[in-house]
Amino acid sequence: STTSSSTSWPQMERPSITADDHQSSSSLSLSVPAIMNYVSAETTEMSTRRDLGGGDSTFVGVSWEPKQVNVHNARLSATEMNLEMNGFQLHRRTQNMGTVREIDFCHQDDVVDTYYPICEEVVTNALKASTSTPITCVCAFDHNVRSNDHSSVGEIKASKQIMANNVGTEPEPPVPQVQNPAGIVHADYTSVSGPRRLGDLAKQPKLNDVLRPKLLSQNRSSLLDPNIVQEALDGKRRYAFVNVWRSIDQDNPVKDNHLACIDSQTVCKDELRVFKIHYTDRVGENYFACPSPPSNDKQHSWCYYPDMTMEEALLIKQWDSRGDIADGSERSTFAIHSAFLDPTAPKNAPPRTSIEVRCIVIWDKE
């Protein structure tokens, strides 16, 4: 691997393979090679500024270190990956697929009104099966649409909901953009931004919150009950953020630009680096990761599910207040993840078009 400083997102690279390897189907292979964009171990503080549409300015302090790894086919794994211990799991078949297929995923209102409740149900059912403490609430609150070919998706349509509190001074809500697959090794929240984001959901929604029009039209001051959120922040309740990732291509399975996750049991805290995102009205944080040092007992174990279809969803834990990195337990705190280019993909592979929906989960008092 080579290290290079950069002021922008790195390019995704495709490993070179032999002609024989290219003819083999990734769905039948135990693993495929991939080049993952880590940051160097010497990297310290990193930051960027993000506009209301989701675009980033230049990066500061980032030193990329691409590394070739093997990504294991989780469909062929002897043990099923799960949210509790590994940080991710496959949801194999969604109920009411007729409704899902009719959703316009580029229309903010359609996603919020119709798709958010479906994601909430998927997350609730997955976590109920693995935890004994009753769940107080599961609320979807944000989403991104991604594609490596924006022309195949079209423009995002802004919310048309009437804002009841709009008296002429409310700014026009920003229209989010279709995002590229995120080809960097990262986790979505940190020990700072996880609790902070939870606290924000108990406050009046900010200008770039997708639920702002709906909450204001319902005369609701916040998505979550501030008392319940405070109990979670005080450690009296467990809370977690879970991402629901789904291909929205009705006709084709995902053949390239797959999403891969690292088994959380193979990640060490000293491999994490903080990346700060300065928005117009708040500061967010992600973790980027550096490669496992050869001296570490644990080396990153990468996994993916080839040929994902619209009927399936990948659940990815983004932060868990009762996880190993959060409070020292054996349970996973999050799954580090990245998109990658598959060297066995057909040259005419259809674009990977997907949606990811973030959900907050809060459990009853313990």
Side-chain angles (χ1 to χ4, degrees), residues 190-205:
T190 69
S191 57
V192 171
S193 63
R196 180 189 292 158
R197 192 69 180 103
L198 175 62
D200 287 344
L201 296 176
K203 300 174 183 175
Q204 185 171 345

Side-chain angles (χ1 to χ4, degrees), residues 171-182:
E172 278 291 314
V175 180
Q177 305 299 311
V178 175
Q179 304 290 316
N180 293 318

Side-chain angles (χ1 to χ4, degrees), residues 21-22 38 73 120 135 144 151 156 198 220 231 240 250 263 282 305 322 334 341 364:
D21 289 334
H22 199 279
Y38 286 94
N73 183 345
E120 291 164 354
I135 295 172
N144 281 321
S151 64
I156 300 292
L198 175 62
R220 293 171 61 188
E231 290 172 350
Q250 300 212 22
D263 179 354
R282 62 186 173 92
Y305 296 89
R322 295 289 191 270
F334 50 72
L341 296 178
D364 288 0

